[in-house]
Amino acid sequence: MLKIDLQHSKNEDAYLLRLSKLERTKETIHQGGGAAKIKKLHSKGKMTARERIDYLIDDSTEFLEIGTYAGYQMYADHGGCPSAGVVTGIAKVSGVLSMIVANDATVKAGAWFPITGKKNLRAQEIAMENRLPLIYLVDSAGVYLPMQDEIFPDKEHFGRIFRNNAVISSMGIPQISAIMGSCVAGGAYLPIMSDESIIVEGTGSIFLAGPYLVKAAIGEEVDKETLGGAHTQTNISGVTDYIAKDDQECLDLIKKLIGQKKATPEIELNRTKAKDTELSIKEIIGAYPDDRTKPYDSVKLLKHIVDKDSLTFYKEGYGQTMICAYARIDGWSVGIVMNNREISKSAKGEIKIGGVIYSDAADKATRFILNCNQKKIPLVFLHDVTGFMVGKTSEHGGIIKDGAKMVNAVSNSTVPKISIVLGNSYGAGNYAMCGKAYDPRFIYAWPTAKISVMGGAQAAKVLAQIQSHSLKAKGKEITKEEEDAMIAAIKEKYDEQTTAYYAAARLWVDDIIDPRDTRQIISKSLAACNYAPIQDFNVGVIQS
């Protein structure tokens, strides 16, 4: 008789609902500025950003998009900014794995919002860290002027992009720019600071100031083509290198140029022939509980991701709230650092809460991270952590010191690091598990991810207590009903700010992924990591 795992089925049904929402949201985002804007673009003989990318990349490759949800539900007062008004991601072009950055002219004419700048910088950062050539498909009206104060002058603002252009070039990483629409003001520097530039006749234009600003500034009347069209900037000024008659010819030329570069040697991260997983990756969503407070079998979940018979557990019986293991994912050799959500018992008989980092778990993870760096093995962090253990026993045992050791090891780690936030990623646990601030080469989130200082319920109670004490200090008493209402209001706001969508909108993670794609996304990310030499490792001072 067939045995049915009812809990697995319930988990699966709940997760499928989450994934349905994720897919609907993605479909809306992929429409950019909407059907009318797309139609208008097509009427000018232009492709959309996503159509350009589809045409450019090799048939044998898949586009690994970065920042799909950037800008999600942000800038509502300005009409929104789907996908931050720019599409970025990695794919092969003429056999060369490349980072592609394509302005979406259907979103405010490709204007740059603050999140647009942040997303471009993230694309450049990934290219620099992994030595990937950059292809810019430029079609932008420049800085979104109503928000210029949030994008113009600071270190992580618009101007940093051009600084990166110069640094990338000095690193010997090729950059090719195609001017396929407007390229105005400061934005004009991006293509011209690239190694080679192409401009599309009739639709492409590049100038520091457009006709209206020229008229306002110096009283000169000049049309767009004469000022900075294809023939002006290629044949008269020599600013651009090539003219293309349309989008298709431009993209074909990029394929030729990128295909002529010298092959980038791989650093040969250890990879063998991939094996199937022990448990089907397609079944992984049934292994993850919809009730976030419930423990689950973390090792079983891991067996849905790694190659069969590849797990070798490090210090298996010690520091059991942390799983450290050598494994293979799609053939790639990796070291896995994963929060164990099962309740465990120490050798001393102490009951330990799953998903919490204790001193022994931090000590174990630190040593494992050092070993992986010693052997040049990439690290994969799988987050489901509520933080470090608190209380008198933990403080007397030196939890801060042991946590600092782990954070030190993560900070100074030089092997490729890939983070996946499965569920909770709270407080200093986010740091120790290689959150965005700790330079993972790539970081992704499942739809169930929650990133914040602490959980919504705990935060609401703490903030409510502070507010209540403040009111009492002023001689005001609040009722139990008023306190409960205060807690509920705080929790609602807090919960909204901890979701995977909120994190992805602000690029705290590179993308939200379907858990069933975890294995392949890790594999594709490691393939991108396979071109940059691994630097020597030194952790500096660690307290014993």
Side-chain angles (χ1 to χ4, degrees), residues 519-530:
R519 176 177 161 86
Q520 282 306 310
I521 283 174
I522 292 173
S523 179
K524 289 176 185 178
S525 299
L526 286 169
C529 295
N530 204 24

Side-chain angles (χ1 to χ4, degrees), residues 390-403:
V390 297
K392 184 176 72 174
T393 301
S394 292
E395 296 295 354
H396 289 189
I399 186 67
I400 296 174
K401 178 181 65 177
D402 291 318

Side-chain angles (χ1 to χ4, degrees), residues 293-298 320-321 340-346 350-355 358:
T293 64
K294 285 188 176 180
Y296 58 88
D297 189 336
S298 301
Q320 292 180 56
T321 62
N340 188 359
R341 282 296 305 272
E342 285 199 302
I343 296 171
S344 61
K345 186 182 286 188
S346 73
E350 303 161 319
I351 300 298
K352 298 202 168 180
I353 304 165
Y358 291 79

Side-chain angles (χ1 to χ4, degrees), residues 7 20 75 108 172 174 203 209 236 274 276 316 324 330 356 366 370 393 395 423 440 443 464 476:
Q7 190 57 54
S20 177
Y75 314 120
K108 288 286 192 295
T203 57
I236 299 174
D276 289 336
E316 187 173 5
C324 296
D330 198 31
V356 178
T366 300
L370 299 180
T393 301
E395 296 295 354
I443 178 168
K476 298 176 182 178

Side-chain angles (χ1 to χ4, degrees), residues 46 52 178-181 198-205 225 229-230 242-248 250-251:
K46 296 165 70 174
R52 287 167 175 168
I179 302 160
M180 308 181 79
I198 308 161
I199 187 166
V200 177
E201 188 175 8
T203 57
S205 59
E225 278 299 309
Y242 309 94
I243 295 178
K245 68 180 181 183
D246 55 26
D247 279 11
Q248 183 173 321
C250 177
L251 297 168

Side-chain angles (χ1 to χ4, degrees), residues 37-49:
K37 294 286 181 66
I38 292 172
K39 185 177 180 181
K40 184 177 179 181
L41 205 68
H42 286 162
S43 71
K44 296 177 180 178
K46 296 165 70 174
M47 299 179 182
T48 65

Side-chain angles (χ1 to χ4, degrees), residues 402-461:
D402 291 318
K405 288 193 290 187
M406 184 176 175
V407 170
N408 190 320
V410 172
S411 301
N412 287 295
S413 181
T414 57
V415 296
K417 297 176 291 190
I418 296 169
S419 281
I420 313 284
V421 185
L422 315 181
N424 304 324
S425 190
Y426 293 159
N430 173 271
Y431 302 159
M433 292 299 293
C434 196
K436 183 67 180 295
Y438 289 80
D439 295 329
R441 296 282 186 95
F442 297 91
I443 178 168
Y444 305 100
W446 284 8
T448 39
K450 294 275 188 181
I451 301 174
S452 67
V453 174
M454 63 181 74
Q458 297 93 327
K461 288 177 182 178

Side-chain angles (χ1 to χ4, degrees), residues 87 107 115 135 206 249 283 291 307 314 325 452 500 524:
V87 184
V107 179
I115 195 65
I135 298 169
I206 177 169
E249 185 175 280
E283 299 291 325
D291 184 345
D307 293 10
Y314 177 78
S452 67
K524 289 176 185 178

